[in-house]
């Protein structure tokens, strides 16, 4: 991969590290070095990333089978393989997807990689997910998404990057309030619930030395994000266990995931 204008290939970036774990090609040597170092420090992190992406795909396929044709995907990262619009439009070519991210590096990659079916629509908004009012009233979003019809709100591996000081529960509520009755929430989140105590302690020590912080939360905390939604079976579970046999058996489950329908 050659570096597009505005991208420094010598500085590792979290979205490209994640892309490497997913088996993508939109990463550089610096990203791969950090990815391998993290894999050495956090057992099962690559499998967890792949299971999280597989969960996204299964959730989107489930929703398209329910007739959903509109997706608002927040904090999307680089559009790696198996992203929301690829899965949705493979099932329903007329599906419409709006991605939101505020990272210039992600946006540079997105503009280069963005494709859509002729029948559907796909767009990227460069905006901060912590400003729901600006996003929900954005003219391009309103042009593509009709909030009078079912909409799936995708918050996959997003809220773990939102500290408590930014009120993640309030953010979920602000977006959920814009959904019509019968809208959907797809959410996954980092947890330490399922890791052995010493492994969890080692994770906290390792990530505490990193510049980019992630906030793991308990299943009880994550379940509260689904207030006002009815969780579909099997509920809030390890992402690898949501409605399928995992493609990549978890060494340690690091992520909870769930899908809920707005009451």
């Amino acid at each position: 991969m050659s570096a597009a204008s505005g991208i420094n290939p010598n500085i590792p970036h979290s979205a490209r590290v994640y892309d490497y774990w997913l088996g993508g090609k939109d990463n550089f040597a610096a990203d791969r070095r950090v990815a391998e170092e993290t894999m050495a420090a956090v057992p099962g992190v690559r499998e967890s990333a792949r299971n999280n992406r597989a969960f996204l795909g299964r959730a989107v396929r489930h929703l398209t089978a329910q007739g959903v044709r509109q997706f608002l995907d927040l904090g999307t990262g680089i559009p790696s393989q198996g992203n929301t619009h690829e899965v949705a439009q493979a099932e329903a070519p007329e599906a419409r997807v709006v991605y939101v991210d505020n990272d210039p590096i992600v946006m540079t990659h997105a503009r280069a990689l963005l494709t859509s079916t002729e029948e559907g629509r796909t767009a990227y908004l460069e905006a901060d997910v912590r400003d729901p009012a600006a996003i929900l009233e954005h003219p391009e979003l309103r042009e593509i998404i009709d909030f009078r019809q079912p909409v799936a709100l995708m918050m996959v591996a997003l809220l773990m990057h939102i500290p408590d000081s930014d009120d993640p529960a309030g953010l979920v509520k602000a977006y959920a309030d814009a959904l019509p009755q019968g809208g959907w929430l797809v959410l996954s989140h980092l947890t330490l619930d399922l890791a052995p105590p010493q492994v969890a302690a080692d994770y906290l020590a390792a990530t505490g030395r990193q510049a980019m912080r992630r906030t793991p939360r308990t299943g009880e905390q994550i379940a509260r994000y689904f207030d006002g939604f009815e969780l579909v079976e099997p509920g809030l579970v390890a992402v690898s266990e949501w409605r399928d046999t995992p493609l990549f058996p978890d060494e340690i489950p690091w992520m909870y995931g769930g899908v809920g329908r707005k009451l």
Side-chain angles (χ1 to χ4, degrees):
M1 172 184 172
S2 59
S5 176
I7 293 179
N8 187 340
N10 300 311
I11 299 177
H13 188 274
S14 60
R16 294 196 302 262
V17 170
Y18 194 75
D19 176 76
Y20 175 75
W21 287 336
L22 294 178
K25 300 179 180 179
D26 296 296
N27 51 75
F28 300 104
D31 307 304
R32 295 189 284 273
R33 182 178 65 252
V34 169
E36 292 288 347
E37 290 173 354
T38 304
M39 288 162 55
V42 182
V45 65
R46 178 171 60 182
E47 290 75 13
S48 181
R50 293 181 175 185
N51 280 328
N52 187 60
R53 178 49 61 100
F55 160 73
L56 181 151
R58 293 197 300 275
V60 170
R61 282 188 287 272
H62 170 74
L63 295 183
T64 55
Q66 303 303 309
V68 177
R69 297 295 184 266
Q70 303 185 113
F71 298 82
L72 174 56
D73 194 329
L74 302 177
T76 54
I78 292 172
S80 303
Q81 56 186 354
N83 55 67
T84 298
H85 83 272
E86 284 184 344
V87 177
Q89 292 178 351
E91 302 293 321
E94 72 276 21
R96 301 188 298 278
V97 181
V98 175
Y99 294 105
V100 179
D101 207 295
N102 71 333
D103 190 322
I105 289 177
V106 167
M107 298 307 295
T108 299
H109 286 285
R111 292 186 185 105
L113 298 170
L114 180 61
T115 60
S116 177
T117 58
E118 292 184 5
E119 303 95 324
R121 292 285 302 277
T122 306
Y124 271 83
L125 304 184
E126 187 167 0
D128 192 329
V129 298
R130 293 170 297 180
D131 190 357
I135 291 169
L136 291 169
E137 295 303 323
H138 195 286
E140 190 169 6
L141 175 69
R142 289 289 172 172
E143 177 190 347
I144 296 173
I145 302 294
D146 180 359
F147 283 92
R148 297 169 298 180
Q149 301 297 323
V151 179
L153 175 64
M154 311 291 295
M155 305 184 86
V156 176
L158 168 66
L159 296 176
M160 60 199 230
H161 298 291
I162 307 289
D164 291 340
S165 57
D166 284 334
D167 188 17
L171 289 176
V172 177
K173 185 177 186 305
Y175 288 106
D177 285 349
L179 299 178
Q181 184 178 16
W184 298 83
L185 172 62
V186 178
L187 188 149
S188 66
H189 197 296
L190 174 68
T191 187
L192 302 182
D193 285 6
L194 308 174
Q198 186 56 55
V199 173
D202 291 344
Y203 171 86
L204 291 172
T207 56
R209 295 190 294 269
Q210 296 177 358
M212 188 182 70
R213 299 288 186 263
R214 299 175 181 84
T215 302
R217 294 186 171 96
T218 66
E220 182 179 355
Q221 290 173 310
I222 298 165
R224 293 192 194 114
Y225 297 138
F226 286 96
D227 285 351
F229 292 82
E230 180 182 12
L231 279 165
V232 302
E233 293 295 335
L236 186 67
V237 295
V239 292
S240 59
E241 298 175 2
W242 198 86
R243 296 199 167 209
D244 205 355
T245 301
L247 294 174
F248 309 96
D250 279 319
E251 182 174 346
I252 295 173
W254 291 105
M255 302 285 288
Y256 275 128
V259 177
R261 188 172 187 269
K262 186 175 179 180
L263 299 172

